[in-house]
Amino acid sequence: MRIAIYPGSFDPVTRGHLDIMKRSLNLFDSLIVVVMQNNKKTPMFTAEERVELIKQSVVEAGIPTEHLKVVSNAGLLADFAKENGSSIIVKGLRAISDFESEFQMAAANQKLSPQLDSVFIMTRAKYMYLSSSIVREVSYFGGDISSFVTSVVETAVKEHYRRQHGE
Ligand code: ADP
């Protein structure tokens, strides 16, 4: 069994992320999407909400779920991989700017856990510009995000701002 791990913030999950999930499932026997809890940033959605939005978006996007798991993790990715019997980390690459930080992180993970390998999947050209921060920024100013995210995420984002403005 080749179990791959796809880590990220997914705040929120985008169509670019979903495309990487779908393609990873074609390459590996199973995929664990790991919502990493990054304590540096204040997220738009809690880790639990992000997990739930990914689960619902995967279904909405018609991605088969038999070999897909979505969880959150607050610890080291290298430890998580070991505990889950995985030695493959999947990362998406959009631009040269992604490369530098990903390269550094892959090297650090390999040092922490030598059997761990990172696999990079190149973005589809149509998702090159897409990131969670673009979704947050566009939606903040009331822009249309329907081509960036699933309808469950679009609804959750609207609800997020409605709640924020209601406070
Ligand atoms: P972001 O806020 O940049 O979307 P994440 O931490 O949620 O960051 O991203 C998780 C992983 O998904 C990273 O490896 C990132 O490079 C990849 N990724 C994000 N958006 C895309 C996209 N549009 N196409 C391909 N890979 C992507």
Side-chain angles (χ1 to χ4, degrees), residues 22-159:
K22 190 171 157 195
R23 291 160 67 196
S24 301
L25 282 165
N26 288 332
L27 293 168
F28 306 106
D29 298 312
S30 72
L31 183 71
I32 310 177
V33 178
V34 190
V35 172
M36 301 301 284
Q37 297 176 19
N38 184 345
N39 47 19
K40 270 195 306 209
K41 294 183 271 185
T42 311
M44 181 177 223
F45 296 106
T46 66
E48 293 70 33
E49 287 169 332
R50 283 178 271 156
V51 166
E52 204 44 50
L53 287 172
I54 296 170
K55 285 183 178 169
Q56 292 176 18
S57 295
V58 162
V59 172
E60 189 182 319
I63 296 170
T65 55
E66 303 93 284
H67 305 293
L68 182 76
K69 227 164 76 173
V70 187
V71 297
S72 70
N73 179 53
L76 267 180
L77 191 61
D79 293 339
F80 179 89
K82 210 176 286 172
E83 284 157 20
N84 285 274
S86 172
S87 57
I88 308 156
I89 296 178
V90 169
K91 287 305 203 72
L93 276 187
R94 280 159 296 191
I96 297 171
S97 52
D98 272 349
F99 183 80
E100 197 172 347
S101 58
E102 294 296 354
F103 183 79
Q104 192 180 17
M105 215 161 351
N109 277 326
Q110 211 166 50
K111 180 91 184 152
L112 291 168
S113 189
Q115 74 282 5
L116 204 54
D117 255 313
S118 298
V119 171
F120 296 93
I121 300 183
M122 221 182 86
T123 183
R124 284 197 196 286
K126 63 175 177 179
Y127 296 131
M128 233 177 111
Y129 65 90
L130 190 50
S131 68
S132 297
S133 56
I134 286 286
V135 169
R136 292 196 301 270
E137 201 152 323
V138 170
S139 59
Y140 178 81
F141 293 107
D144 179 12
I145 56 166
S146 60
S147 59
F148 302 164
V149 296
T150 58
S151 66
V152 283
V153 170
E154 192 184 0
T155 306
V157 167
K158 279 186 185 150
E159 177 60 21

